[in-house]
Amino acid sequence: MNAALVLFLRLIVRPLRNEPIRAALTCFAVALGVAVIVAIDLAGKSAASSFHSSLETLAGKNDLAITATAGVDELVLGQLAQLPYPFELTPRIEDFATVDGRGAAIPFFGLDLVGMTNQTALPSALQWKQPQQSPDADAIPLWVTTGLRLPVGKHIRLLINSQLQEFVIAGNLPAQKYGGDQQDLFITDIGYAQIATGKAGKLDRIYVKTPANGSLSHWRAVLSARLPAGTIVSPQGAATDQNRKMLSAFRWNLRALSYVAVLVGGFLIYNTISISVVRRRADIGVVRALGGTRAELLWAFLLEALLFAGIGGGFGVLLGRVMAVGAASLVGSTVESLYVTNVPAPVHLSLGSVANGVAIGVGVSLLAALAPASEAARVSPIEAVARGRWEFVNTQRSRWLWRFALGLLVLSAVFTKTPPVMGAPAFGYAAVLLLVMGTSLLIPNIISWSAAGFTAFLQRLLGVEAVLAMQSLRSSLGRTAVLTAALATAVAMAAAVGIMVGSFRETVEVWLNSELTADFYLRPPGSAAADRHPTMSAAIADALERIPGVAAVDRFRAYPITYEGLPATFAGGEAAKPKGRGAIRFLPGENTAEILSKLNTGDYAVVSEPFANKHNVRPGSELRLPLGGAIRRFQVLGVYYDYSTERGFIVVDRSTLLKYLPDPAASNVAVYLEPHADASAVRRSINQALGGQSVLVFSNGSLRRGAITLFDQTFRITYALELVAVIVAVLGIAGALLALVIDRRREFALLRFLGASQPQIRRIILCEAGLLGLLANGIGIVLGTLLSLILIFVINKQSFGWTIQFHWPVALVLAMLGGIYIATLLAGLYPARIAARLDPIEAIHEE
Amino acid sequence: MALLEVRNASKTYRGAGAPVMALREVSLAVESGEFVALVGRSGCGKSTLLNLCGAIDFPTEGEVLIDGISTKRTNDFELTRLRREKAGFVFQSFQLLAGLSAVENVELPLLLARRPNARQTALSRLEWVGLQGYSARLPHQLSGGQQQRVAIARSVVHSPRLLLADEPTGNLDTGTGEAIITLLRNITRDFQTAVLMATHSSESLTSVDRVIHMRDGQLDI
C-alpha cells in the first residue's frame, strides 16, 4: 500500500474515530458550502432554461425570426413569399390572455394552422382538428395545454387586451411538450388571433426556415435587404440568448455569494488540518525518524482534507439538490420581478453541477489544507525526541505578514477603481477577496492588541475565567485567529449584504415616494412589468378622464424591444401632464423641468439609469430605434433613476410614441385626483367605468406596499445564502472549541487540582466562545461595512447600473449581530460541558 | 571501513540569543555489531550526537558517514531513505503512536519503505522481544517496559545496520531497564547491528563493548 495512504489511515483516520462529533461538524460545514453552490447553480440553470419560451418550443426547427416593435405588417409575409427563394415562412401572433379576466395571464398564440398543415413544423396534436372542423361554428376554436384542465367542447371566455372573447376548446396539448417551460398556453388559428388581440393586419413574428444552400448570415442579409426599415432579422432563439446574457450578471453575483459559504468552510478546513498537525507533531517526528518522507506526510494531511471534502461534498450534492427546489423558487421570483416573465424549469441534478460543486469543495479544501499540510511536512524528526506541547508556529505576527496584509488592502482599494471586464465586475470581486484576505491576516495582531488592552477590564467585569479565556485565545493565536477570521468573514458578508440590501430598500422607498404620486394605478392582470402584460383599450383611460374628481390620467404604453442585442423597454408616457405632481428624478446636474418641457416637442427620449449604464448612453446621445417601418432617431435629454427593472427603459412622450406606433391602448394608467376629491367615491366611479372589465386597480398605498413586498421577496435568496455562511462558521466554532477542550485536558485537570470548580471551567470555555464571537462580530461589522461599499458602489454599479444611496440599516444589522453572537455562545455550550465533566485524575494520568 | 564514522563534527544552535555550541569537533567510529554507550550529564551533547549519527540532524562543521554515505551532501529524500534502510531509533519516552496497536507500530517502518510481508515480520519481531500475544494491544494498554520492547521491535523490524537509543531505560525501573539492555545486546549479537546508546545509567554499562564519555559537547577521552 502507498506509504502516504498508510500514514493517512493510521495517523489520521483512526484518531478521527475518537472524535466523531468534531469530524461530523467539519464534514457538515463542507457539505453546507457545497450544497449552497450546487443549489444556486441548479436554481440559476432552472431560471435560465425557463427563457426557452413556449413560442420557441412551438416554432419547431427554424433558422431566423423577423420582428418589429409593435408588430410586422402582414403584407411583409406576402412580399417574402414572392421572393425567388424556397423559404418556409411561419407567422405568429403572441399575446397574453386570462380566463374570464381572472387569474394569471397565460401566453396566447396565433399560428397559421391552415398554412402549416403541409409543414412538418405543425405539432401533430394540432393537425387532427383544423379550424374548419370546429365543433361550434359560433365560437373560435382554441387549443389548450392539459394543465389548464379545460375539456374539449367547453366554451370559455378569454380576456385579451381588455376585450372578452368567446372560444371553444378544440383540443388539448400535452403541457410538457408544447407548453415549453411556461407550462400553460392557448393556441388558435392566426386569423382569429389577429382579431382577438386587436392586431388586424399585423404579425408579431415571422419564423423563417432557410434553404440548405447558403449560410445563415447570407440568408439573413438577403432578408434584411428586402424588408422595410425597422424590421429586425435575428437567429431563432436570439431572445432566449439575450435573456440569458442579461441574466448573466445576476447569476454571477448569486454565484459569488454562494461561494462565501465554501470560503468560510475553507477557513474551517484550514483550522481542522492545523489542529490535526499540531496534535500529531510528535507522531510526525517519529514517522520522519522511521523513514516517512516529507511528500508522504504532505499527502497524508492533504488526504485528510480530501476525506472531509469527499464526505462533505457527497452529502453536500444531495443536500444541494434538496435546497435547489427552494432556491429555484426564490431565484425565479427575483428573475420574474427584475428581468422577464419566468416560470422556473424543473430542477435537474446535472453531472456538470455536481462536478462543479464537488470540484470547488475539493479545491477549496485542498488549498486550505496546503499550508498546515506543508507545515506537517516540514516537521523535523528531531521533534520525535523533543518533548512538550507544541502550539502553532506564530508566523502570522511576523512583520512581513503585516506588510503583506497592508499590501493586499491597498491592492483591494486600487481594484475598486478598475473598470469592469467584458461587463463583469471581475476586479470588484477581486477587491472583495483581497479585503477579506488582508483583514484576515491582520486578525492575529488584533487579538494580541485586544488581549493586551482589555485583560484588566475583562478581569473586573467577568473575573479570572475571562482572563484565562483571553490568555488561552492569545496563546493559541494561530488557531483562534483562523476561527475568528472564519466567523468574521461570515459576519462581514452577512453584514455587507444586509447593508447593501437595506441601502437598496431605502433608495427604492425614496424613489417610490417621488415616483408614485398618482392616487390610483390601473393595469390588466398578468406580469407587473408594463411590457409583459396585455394592454387596456384607449376607451378605458378616456372614460376615467371624465370621472368627476379626476384631475389627470397618465397613459403609459410599453413595448419590449431589443437594443444592442439586449432586451429593453420602449415606452411612451405623459409624465409632464399632471402639473406639480409625478416628476421623475433625474441624475444630479440634469434640469428636470427643462427636460420634461422639451420631451413632447420632438423626437426626444429619456432613459433609465440601468439602460444608460448598460449601453453607455448620456444626455445628448442619439438612439436609433426601428419603429413604424423606419429607423427613427431620438436624442436623449436625460437619465432618470429607475429601480423597477434592470432591462432599462427608453421613454418618449406619448404623442411621439403614437406618431410612430399609433396603437392608443395603454399598458398602465395612473389616475391623479383633484385636491380634496373623495378618493372612495372616485374609486367606485372607476369600477363603474371599467364596467366589469378585468383591470386591476391599485391605490397608491397598496402599490407601494406591493412594490416593497416584491423587493423583500427578491432579496430573500441573498439572506438565505448569508445565513448558510454564518451557520458554517458557527459549526466551525463549535468543532474548534471541542478540539481545544480535548487538547487542553491536562490544563483543565491542573486547574481542577488547583481549586477550579466545574462551573468555573465551563465559564472559561463560554468566555472563550464569547470573546471569539465578540472579536469576530467587531471585525466583521467593520469589514462588512467596507465590503458593502464595494458591493454598492462597484459590483452593483458595474453589474446592474443602479445608483444606491448608502444607508446603514441599524436595526437589521444589530439584530443580525446579536443573533450570530448568541449562536456563537450556544456553540460553546457542548464543549464547555465536556470540559467541566473531565475527570482531573484521569486526565493527568493520561499525560 | 567502520559502519559509523563521525569526523570532527560540530553543531551550533543559533537561536534568539548567543549561539550555543552543542558539539565541538567530535570524532568517533562504530563497527558493525558493536554496542557503544555514550555517557555524560544532561546537556553534554549526547542526544545531539545521536541525532547527527541517525541522520535526523546535520553537523554545522565536520561530517557523519553511515555505511560510507555522508549525511551532509545528501538531500532530504536521500536522508529519509538512509534512515529507512540503515538506521533504527529507540527513544526514552518510547514514542509509540498512540492510536496504533503494538504490531501496527512495529510494521510502520516496513510499510513506509514499501517492504513486503510487513505484518509477519512485525509479529516475528514482537515475538523476538517477548511480546507474543500482545500484538493487538494499544500503547496505553501496555506497561512502560512492554512499550519500550515494542519500540525496540519497531527499531529493528527493518533490520537496520545501526540502532540509536536515547536513554532507553530512562523511564523504566531497574529490573525492566536491565531487560531492555539485554535486548539491545541481543540485537548486536543476532542482527550484527551496531548500537549507539546514550545513557547516564551506570548499570547498563556492564553489557556494552565500549563506553564513550562526553562533557561540554566533547568526547572525554
Side-chain angles (χ1 to χ4, degrees), chain B residues 18-33:
Chain B
V20 176
M21 201 158 189
L23 278 186
R24 293 165 194 268
E25 296 180 352
V26 171
S27 293
L28 69 89
V30 180
E31 301 293 336
S32 283

Side-chain angles (χ1 to χ4, degrees), chain A residues 741-750 838 842-843 846:
Chain A
V741 168
I742 293 164
D743 286 355
R744 288 163 61 201
R745 292 162 72 90
R746 190 170 181 277
E747 186 184 323
F748 291 128
L750 199 62
L838 280 177
E842 194 183 310
E846 278 175 12

Side-chain angles (χ1 to χ4, degrees), chain A residues 654-677:
Chain A
R654 183 168 168 79
S655 59
T656 314
L657 181 84
L658 291 175
K659 190 166 70 178
Y660 298 118
L661 305 171
D663 179 3
S667 309
N668 299 52
V669 169
V671 177
Y672 295 84
L673 303 189
E674 302 273 12
H676 314 300

Side-chain angles (χ1 to χ4, degrees), chain A residues 397-453:
Chain A
R397 295 174 75 184
S398 64
R399 220 177 251 175
W400 72 265
L401 207 68
W402 241 110
R403 291 193 192 122
F404 185 55
L406 288 177
L408 292 181
L409 296 181
V410 170
L411 198 58
S412 168
V414 171
F415 280 5
T416 59
K417 300 289 178 194
T418 312
V421 181
M422 293 166 68
F427 284 101
Y429 294 133
V432 166
L433 201 62
L434 291 177
L435 186 56
V436 170
M437 284 168 64
T439 309
S440 300
L441 293 177
L442 287 177
I443 284 176
N445 294 80
I446 296 172
I447 294 175
S448 292
W449 296 331
S450 306

Side-chain angles (χ1 to χ4, degrees), chain A residues 326-412:
Chain A
S329 159
L330 289 173
V331 171
S333 68
T334 304
V335 171
E336 172 81 26
S337 55
L338 286 182
Y339 299 96
V340 292
T341 305
N342 166 282
V343 178
V347 172
H348 294 297
L349 189 59
S350 67
L351 195 63
S353 298
V354 172
N356 180 51
V358 172
I360 290 174
V362 167
V364 168
S365 300
L366 283 180
L367 269 179
L370 203 55
S374 303
E375 194 180 319
R378 284 196 301 271
V379 170
S380 158
I382 295 172
E383 296 197 18
V385 287
R387 300 199 67 194
R389 175 173 175 257
W390 282 273
E391 233 332 312
F392 281 69
V393 178
N394 191 15
T395 50
Q396 286 94 330
R397 295 174 75 184
S398 64
R399 220 177 251 175
W400 72 265
L401 207 68
W402 241 110
R403 291 193 192 122
F404 185 55
L406 288 177
L408 292 181
L409 296 181
V410 170
L411 198 58
S412 168

Side-chain angles (χ1 to χ4, degrees), chain A residues 779-791:
Chain A
I779 296 164
I781 194 63
V782 174
L783 178 62
T785 305
L786 293 173
L787 288 176
S788 73
L789 293 173
I790 299 179
L791 288 180

Side-chain angles (χ1 to χ4, degrees), chain A residues 64-244:
Chain A
L64 298 168
I66 299 169
T67 53
T69 308
V72 182
D73 194 314
E74 70 177 359
L75 293 175
V76 169
L77 187 65
Q79 290 163 7
L80 292 176
Q82 287 168 16
L83 290 176
Y85 307 110
F87 290 129
E88 274 184 34
L89 304 166
T90 315
R92 295 277 189 273
I93 286 289
E94 306 160 11
D95 221 308
F96 293 91
T98 55
V99 179
D100 274 334
R102 285 190 292 276
I106 294 165
F108 175 92
F109 298 127
L111 307 180
D112 183 10
L113 298 179
V114 179
M116 290 166 72
T117 308
N118 299 322
Q119 291 182 15
T120 51
L122 184 68
S124 59
L126 293 168
Q127 287 179 336
W128 68 273
K129 195 173 282 181
Q130 296 301 324
Q132 60 270 31
Q133 297 168 305
S134 164
D136 189 332
D138 298 331
I140 305 170
L142 185 73
W143 283 261
V144 298
T145 40
T146 46
L148 289 164
R149 298 175 194 281
L150 294 169
V152 173
K154 184 180 169 65
H155 284 246
I156 59 162
R157 292 190 311 161
L158 296 186
L159 183 85
I160 307 167
N161 294 333
S162 70
Q163 297 293 319
L164 275 170
Q165 317 267 347
E166 181 142 350
F167 292 84
V168 61
I169 306 301
N172 287 143
L173 305 163
Q176 291 299 323
K177 190 171 179 186
Y178 296 109
D181 296 316
Q182 291 177 345
Q183 303 292 330
D184 295 328
L185 57 85
F186 298 121
I187 296 173
T188 190
D189 185 67
I190 196 160
Y192 295 122
Q194 282 177 310
I195 297 161
T197 56
K199 294 175 181 172
K202 291 280 184 187
L203 298 168
D204 285 312
R205 198 178 299 262
I206 302 170
Y207 278 112
V208 184
K209 192 166 173 54
T210 58
N213 59 328
S215 68
L216 202 60
S217 55
H218 164 72
W219 292 119
R220 197 175 170 184
V222 166
L223 286 168
S224 296
R226 285 157 177 82
L227 288 169
T231 313
I232 299 164
V233 184
S234 50
Q236 188 196 2
T240 301
D241 291 342
Q242 287 161 9
N243 280 331
R244 284 184 180 151

